[in-house]
Amino acid sequence: LIIEQAYVHLPMKRALHAISPAQQLRLLQQDTHVSERAFHSRMLGIFAQLRDIHTAYTLPQPFSSHVAFVPFLAETYFTAPRTERRFLVSRVLGGFEHPHFKPGVELLTWNQMTLEDAVWHNAARENGSNPDASFAEGMQFLCVRWLGASLPPEARQVVVAYREKRGPIREIRFPWSVLELDQQL
């Protein structure tokens, strides 16, 4: 009822994104065989389609107290003069050591997708309201995902192709790790 009768942006969102969240919610309500995790995944998907960061669905415990992550962060930049988007490792988790995979390496693929495609794929699962915001959210939640408001990773691991400056292309696998957040936070 709130989405259908009180959400003032619904007509614009329906027209802009060709969605029907109220109908999707009614269909979900009638699905009596959906598991708890599938229910929450579908709810997150319905609310992500609204592309409105102020209209969100947050999962209950135990999901909301967990974060999924790989042991590095990525950033994007453009080559001069803003012709080609590139991706690099900006940080690695303390204690993670590898002879070649370290801050500054260029990321080339993510599970056999280009990094740009992987970011856009992830962005479709988040709430960015326009292409720039969507890309920023896809990038922000590429390596770290709060499971209280993001769908879990689609695969159990990430396979990344990367290159050190002028070096050969290498590949590395990272299993997704899950961390329980401190309840004191």
Side-chain angles (χ1 to χ4, degrees):
L1 286 172
I2 291 172
I3 292 289
E4 199 164 45
Q5 296 178 12
Y7 183 55
V8 297
H9 300 298
L10 184 60
M12 176 190 67
K13 298 292 184 173
R14 266 193 281 207
L16 208 62
H17 305 301
I19 59 170
S20 182
Q23 179 63 20
Q24 290 177 324
L25 290 168
R26 279 191 288 278
L27 292 172
L28 179 57
Q29 187 177 25
Q30 293 173 3
D31 190 348
T32 58
H33 300 293
V34 66
S35 70
E36 180 184 8
R37 184 65 198 140
F39 169 81
H40 291 305
S41 290
R42 286 176 60 186
M43 288 292 287
L44 285 169
I46 291 167
F47 279 82
Q49 290 176 2
L50 293 172
R51 301 189 188 288
D52 185 344
I53 200 164
H54 303 101
T55 307
Y57 177 74
T58 303
L59 278 68
Q61 292 288 351
F63 309 106
S64 63
S65 62
H66 289 81
V67 173
F69 65 94
V70 290
F72 66 93
L73 295 177
E75 292 185 21
T76 185
Y77 68 97
F78 283 97
T79 59
R82 198 168 167 90
T83 56
E84 184 182 353
R85 184 188 298 268
R86 293 204 179 152
F87 299 84
L88 58 81
V89 171
S90 58
R91 292 184 182 182
V92 296
L93 191 62
F96 173 82
E97 291 186 26
H98 189 273
H100 304 287
F101 192 88
K102 49 190 158 204
V105 300
E106 182 180 4
L107 297 169
L108 304 171
T109 66
W110 178 282
N111 286 345
Q112 299 182 341
M113 288 187 274
T114 66
L115 254 291
E116 186 153 357
D117 287 346
V119 171
W120 281 117
H121 180 75
N122 194 44
R125 300 159 43 102
E126 299 297 338
N127 293 320
S129 61
N130 60 55
D132 289 337
S134 288
F135 191 86
E137 289 224 349
M139 192 72 210
Q140 180 179 355
F141 300 116
L142 186 66
C143 300
V144 179
R145 299 178 187 171
W146 176 51
L147 298 180
S150 286
L151 290 167
E154 294 172 305
R156 292 184 182 271
Q157 66 181 356
V158 175
V159 180
V160 176
Y162 68 97
R163 177 177 34 220
E164 293 176 274
K165 209 175 228 180
R166 296 182 210 39
I169 294 175
R170 301 177 190 274
E171 192 173 276
I172 189 168
R173 296 175 189 277
F174 296 103
W176 281 95
S177 297
V178 177
L179 175 69
E180 185 171 5
L181 300 171
D182 184 357
Q183 297 301 313
Q184 304 277 326
L185 292 176

